[in-house]
Amino acid sequence: MASPRRLLLELDRATEDNPRFAREKVLPGIAYLKSEAYARRFGHASGRWLVVTTGERRMRNMREQTRLAAGRDARLFYFTTFQAVTASTVLTSPIWHPGGDTAPVALFRFETRS
């Protein structure tokens, strides 16, 4: 049985610049994911912050700003684009780009039994 996942969602409409995103979303997001308040609310001290944004270029820039601001903790953030998200791709297709990594991943992998 797969372990539960705690996912927080950010829909980015490109209304703020990338350094501001890192300063106002990434750093507070990391603090929240590591806080006692988060652990009390969700019953566990782990989670992922999902960010869906307007396009590939913006996503690359946001990932880079996240990596610069967060270092190792950039891995708590996963990025994709509105274009990549559909009902059939959002959870099980490799459309999510972890902060700090280059290869896209799926949020969940389901194994079929033969």
Side-chain angles (χ1 to χ4, degrees):
M1 180 176 184
S3 61
R5 302 273 167 87
R6 290 140 198 96
L7 306 171
L8 295 100
L9 180 63
E10 173 84 19
L11 301 177
D12 172 70
R13 298 178 306 158
T15 58
E16 55 192 46
D17 62 34
N18 293 320
R20 184 175 169 198
F21 173 79
R23 185 176 58 251
E24 294 183 6
K25 302 289 180 147
V26 172
L27 297 177
I30 292 167
Y32 180 56
L33 287 170
K34 294 182 171 190
S35 72
E36 288 293 322
Y38 178 88
R40 278 193 308 274
R41 176 173 285 158
F42 294 104
H44 204 273
S46 70
R48 294 181 187 171
W49 205 287
L50 307 179
V51 180
V52 183
T53 192
T54 56
E56 292 287 330
R57 181 176 178 198
R58 174 122 174 120
M59 180 181 67
R60 281 191 308 272
N61 291 336
M62 291 177 82
R63 288 177 61 223
E64 179 63 11
Q65 287 297 315
T66 300
R67 185 188 66 77
L68 291 171
R72 263 190 74 191
D73 286 332
R75 64 185 168 71
L76 299 172
F77 290 79
Y78 286 68
F79 297 86
T80 195
T81 64
F82 287 108
Q83 183 179 2
V85 174
T86 68
S88 63
T89 64
V90 69
L91 297 177
T92 59
S93 292
I95 63 167
W96 295 96
H97 298 262
D101 288 336
T102 55
V105 298
L107 295 176
F108 297 93
R109 285 179 279 162
F110 294 103
E111 296 178 15
T112 57
R113 294 183 185 209
S114 41

